[in-house]
Amino acid sequence: FDGGLEVRTSRLSLGRFTDRGIKALVDDEGWWRSGDVAQLETRKSRDQLILKGRLDGAIQSGGETVFPDQLESRLVKAAALAGLPIEKVFFLPVEDPEWGQRLAALIRLRNESSVESWENMVNRFQDLVRNWLPAERPISWHLCQILEPNEAGKWERKRWMNWLKERT
């Protein structure tokens, strides 16, 4: 068991229509997986379901569910169209008292020495995301020329969170 919240009730839809037909939303036994990590805890003599976060890397920001990996792809595509030399992008959640979490962007450029100042680059990145939902827009941009996934191609979230904490 991975701690993922599963729900079974007669009020759940069994599926939804897509351009490829019907997509099942529940398994063969009627269980729907929310994608949230949850834990049942006893507090004040009552059982309470506590949501701990997401299994898929999504964050909650200002009441919106935000998927950083999808936004990373959007930014890379937009930067390519704008001629900006992004090589790698990784969005990390940072705690925010008002929004819950916001995103910080770690950026590795293709050739740091041949580009304009970092401040000008940040302004251009902000222009690229100006029309994104407020919860999707990074609140900070960090030049990280060592940014790289591990040998298996996975992002080591804890490593990059520590990197970010050391610089802020």
Side-chain angles (χ1 to χ4, degrees):
F1 179 72
D2 60 6
L5 176 63
E6 295 180 342
V7 177
R8 184 169 67 178
T9 176
S10 61
R11 295 191 173 262
L12 282 175
S13 173
L14 299 177
R16 66 179 169 91
F17 290 103
T18 70
D19 56 350
R20 296 183 183 157
I22 297 175
K23 177 179 178 7
L25 296 177
V26 297
D27 66 17
D28 293 339
E29 297 176 8
W31 289 96
W32 170 71
R33 289 185 55 87
S34 72
D36 295 300
V37 177
Q39 184 174 343
L40 193 59
E41 295 180 0
T42 302
R43 293 186 180 181
K44 298 181 183 177
S45 302
R46 293 181 25 201
D47 286 339
Q48 293 182 345
L49 185 66
I50 308 298
L51 297 179
K52 302 283 191 173
R54 297 282 299 179
L55 289 168
D56 57 11
I59 67 164
Q60 292 296 313
S61 182
E64 298 284 335
T65 302
V66 176
F67 297 89
D69 55 341
Q70 293 174 5
L71 298 175
E72 291 161 4
S73 296
R74 275 175 61 190
L75 180 61
V76 167
K77 288 176 187 172
L81 290 173
L84 295 172
I86 289 180
E87 189 167 339
K88 300 277 185 210
V89 176
F90 188 50
F91 286 164
L92 289 170
V94 291
E95 297 302 316
D96 184 276
E98 184 177 348
W99 289 69
Q101 292 181 312
R102 298 296 304 268
L103 293 173
L106 276 57
I107 307 284
R108 185 172 99 195
L109 300 174
R110 273 196 300 274
N111 188 354
E112 183 182 9
S113 62
S114 67
V115 297
E116 57 204 82
S117 76
W118 178 245
E119 289 173 9
N120 289 339
M121 291 294 290
V122 168
N123 289 334
R124 293 182 69 191
F125 294 142
Q126 289 172 332
D127 285 342
L128 290 179
V129 302
R130 188 169 315 285
N131 294 325
W132 291 13
L133 294 174
E136 297 175 335
R137 290 184 222 138
I139 59 166
S140 60
W141 302 83
H142 305 272
L143 180 61
C144 180
Q145 287 303 105
I146 61 169
L147 184 64
E148 189 72 41
N150 66 21
E151 291 179 8
K154 305 282 186 186
W155 288 105
E156 295 172 324
R157 189 170 305 277
K158 188 173 184 175
R159 172 186 178 196
W160 298 111
M161 290 294 288
N162 288 337
W163 182 92
L164 184 60
K165 283 178 186 174
E166 289 174 4
R167 282 144 186 86
T168 56

